[in-house]
């Protein structure tokens, strides 16, 4: 005789209003999982900041003058100092005493190691905009570089910025308007680099860091898959060739090739969690709940002790070397973008989505297995030194702690995530990408590739971090993203 007690139905999925809206959720919703968004170096604002008062240099500039400023800035950050000097000087000829042009000339002289010229340019800039902190920072940077030339560009910049009271250059900078105006010579530069007789490794890196990916490069990338031996490059290639950057027809053709190469690489690295997770989840439906056998297999994967066998710094250095040998512009920017994309990969996003589908089918007390999987994978991902994987790993750990009904662990992960957000918010105030000094940018990329989270933390004083943690912004105010700008859109800041 069957029981008359009705079987309890699974809980309904939480409504939008019930979902916890936090900075971590916004970071996830902001698109950092997409390959294109991994290349972004901007901060999306949703209100919260008042308009900046008009500056002395705020009069509208003719389009041709803005283009010259873009060319000057882009040339300065790529080390093409004569071109940068030429374009900035031409701007001054058209618009005498233009503050952005004076600023660029001062940065070029500083980069060139010409102290007298730098001093003169800084003095001229300070006369033009005496209320601005940029000339004072350049002056301190010049003194620091002259007295301790081996201290490193980032260390010198950070000390000068801190001595000035950490002004918020993200909110307002002499090159803010210049950076917002679109000028995109990068398409021509990319085409020239692509069709030049570059070695295959350089072409591969160029293809993996192009967005959007032209069809001919997608076809070429597909042809390289069978011989692709570097797991980091395979992870990025898999993200590109299975995502929206390519057409549906090419995705179908790429699927069996990706599967075959993935099996070979996964067998060769049985302890690399990232590869094993990709092997387990590739080709599965993102809306399908996990079955018992899949959960059992994922628990085995989640017990592995390392996320991957390679390192972000190793990927960065090798990619930068290849790009430099092929004379590809913005080599460090592209190499860092590649290292970030390789550290994440597509599998963790599939895991998150399928975990959500599974969670909606389970009673809260039956989610412990799912929680252990998310906690295991999230812990390894959070062990990465780069900002994006660490943030995503902490988010996954938080979800796992909720499934395990472990409020203490959940509070600990959320505090770590909030602290990382606060560190990043403090770092953004330096607006490092708006300083067209090639050596400064190169030093920053190299330091970030070694340990991005430590690099960001160095810009936040203990007092500033404490204030930021105590006065956390409304999560609707801003969405954090990685600090380097897109290599393919021609922005003048690296």
């Amino acid at each position: 005789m069957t029981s008359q007690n009705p079987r309890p139905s699974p809980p309904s999925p939480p409504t939008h209003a019930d979902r916890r809206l936090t900075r971590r959720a916004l970071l996830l919703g902001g698109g950092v999982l997409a390959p294109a968004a991994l290349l972004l170096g901007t901060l999306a604002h949703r209100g919260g900041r008042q308009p900046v008062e008009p500056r002395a240099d705020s009069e509208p500039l003719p389009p041709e003058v803005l283009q010259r400023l873009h060319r000057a800035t882009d040339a300065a950050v790529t080390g093409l100092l004569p071109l940068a000097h030429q374009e900035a000087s031409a701007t001054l000829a058209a618009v005498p005493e233009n503050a952005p042009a004076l600023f660029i000339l001062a940065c070029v002289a500083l980069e060139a190691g010409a102290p007298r010229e730098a001093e003169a340019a800084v003095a001229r800039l300070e006369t033009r905009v005496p209320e601005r902190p940029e000339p004072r920072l350049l002056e301190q940077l010049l003194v620091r570089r002259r007295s301790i030339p081996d201290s490193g560009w980032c260390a010198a910049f950070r000390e000068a910025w801190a001595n000035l009271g950490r002004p918020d250059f993200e909110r307002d900078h002499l090159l803010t308007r210049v950076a917002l105006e679109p000028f995109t010579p990068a398409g021509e530069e990319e085409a020239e680099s692509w069709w030049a007789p570059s070695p295959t490794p350089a072409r591969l890196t160029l293809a993996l860091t192009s967005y959007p990916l032209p069809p001919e490069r997608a076809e070429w990338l597909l042809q390289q898959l069978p011989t692709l031996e570097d797991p980091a490059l395979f992870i990025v290639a898999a993200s590109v060739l299975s995502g929206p950057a390519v057409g549906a027809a090419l995705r179908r053709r790429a699927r069996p090739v990706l599967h075959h190469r993935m099996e070979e690489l996964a067998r060769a690295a049985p302890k690399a969690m990232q590869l094993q997770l990709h092997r387990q989840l590739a080709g599965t439906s993102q809306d399908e709940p996990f079955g018992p056998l899949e959960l059992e297999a994922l628990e085995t994967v989640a017990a592995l002790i390392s996320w991957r066998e390679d390192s972000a710094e190793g990927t960065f250095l090798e990619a930068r070397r290849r790009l430099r040998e092929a004379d590809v512009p913005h080599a460090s920017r592209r190499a860092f973008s590649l290292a970030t994309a390789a550290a994440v990969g597509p599998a963790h996003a599939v895991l998150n989505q399928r975990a959500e589908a599974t969670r909606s089918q389970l009673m809260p007390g039956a989610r412990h297995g799912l929680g252990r999987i998310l906690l295991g994978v999230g812990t390894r991902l959070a062990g990465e030194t780069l900002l994006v994987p660490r943030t995503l790993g902490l988010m996954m750990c938080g979800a796992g702690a909720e499934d395990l009904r472990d409020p203490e662990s959940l509070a600990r992960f959320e505090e770590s995530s909030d602290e990382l957000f606060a560190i990043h918010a403090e770092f953004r105030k330096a607006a490092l990408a708006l300083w067209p000094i090639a050596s400064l940018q190169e030093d920053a990329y190299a330091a970030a590739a070694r340990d991005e989270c430590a690099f960001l933390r160095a810009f936040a004083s203990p007092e500033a971090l404490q204030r930021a943690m105590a006065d956390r912004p409304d999560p609707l105010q801003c969405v954090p993203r990685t600090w380097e700008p897109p290599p393919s859109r021609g922005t003048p800041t690296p």
Side-chain angles (χ1 to χ4, degrees), residues 407-494:
E408 292 183 1
S409 294
L410 175 60
R412 185 173 69 252
F413 292 131
E414 291 197 338
E415 183 178 358
S416 296
S417 184
D418 280 340
E419 182 184 40
L420 196 58
F421 185 95
I423 289 169
H424 188 232
E426 285 299 306
F427 168 78
R428 287 197 311 266
K429 293 178 181 178
L432 209 59
L434 291 176
W435 295 82
I437 304 173
S439 294
L440 175 63
Q441 302 298 334
E442 290 295 313
D443 195 19
Y445 278 117
R450 284 192 298 273
D451 190 333
E452 187 181 11
C453 293
F455 172 66
L456 301 184
R457 183 182 289 274
F459 280 80
S461 69
E463 297 78 16
L465 183 56
Q466 185 175 8
R467 287 195 304 270
M469 287 291 286
D471 186 22
R472 301 175 190 178
D474 187 304
L476 287 176
Q477 297 299 316
C478 50
V479 180
R481 297 177 182 171
T482 61
W483 64 278
E484 86 288 355
S488 61
R489 296 188 181 180
T491 54
T493 56

Side-chain angles (χ1 to χ4, degrees), residues 263-317:
E263 288 290 335
E264 293 177 333
L265 291 173
R267 283 197 298 269
K271 296 182 179 181
M273 180 185 288
Q274 186 186 38
L275 278 174
Q276 300 305 322
L277 188 66
H278 187 82
R279 182 186 195 182
Q280 183 70 29
L281 298 177
T284 63
S285 172
Q286 297 182 354
D287 300 322
E288 181 182 358
F290 289 121
L293 293 180
E294 286 182 295
L295 289 172
E296 183 178 347
L298 286 171
E299 287 220 46
T300 301
V301 172
L304 296 175
I305 61 173
S306 63
W307 176 243
R308 54 185 181 144
E309 293 184 346
D310 41 19
S311 70
E313 185 178 21
T315 300
F316 168 80
L317 292 175

Side-chain angles (χ1 to χ4, degrees), residues 25 68 290 353-354 359 383 410:
R68 283 196 178 278
F290 289 121
Q353 290 167 320
R354 295 197 62 190
R359 188 176 293 116
L410 175 60

Side-chain angles (χ1 to χ4, degrees), residues 234-281:
F234 171 80
I235 288 294
V236 183
S239 299
V240 172
L241 294 177
S242 60
V246 299
L250 193 141
R251 286 200 300 270
R252 286 193 297 270
R253 288 165 46 211
R255 196 171 296 127
V257 186
L258 283 168
H259 177 77
H260 179 73
R261 194 69 189 121
M262 175 191 61
E263 288 290 335
E264 293 177 333
L265 291 173
R267 283 197 298 269
K271 296 182 179 181
M273 180 185 288
Q274 186 186 38
L275 278 174
Q276 300 305 322
L277 188 66
H278 187 82
R279 182 186 195 182
Q280 183 70 29
L281 298 177

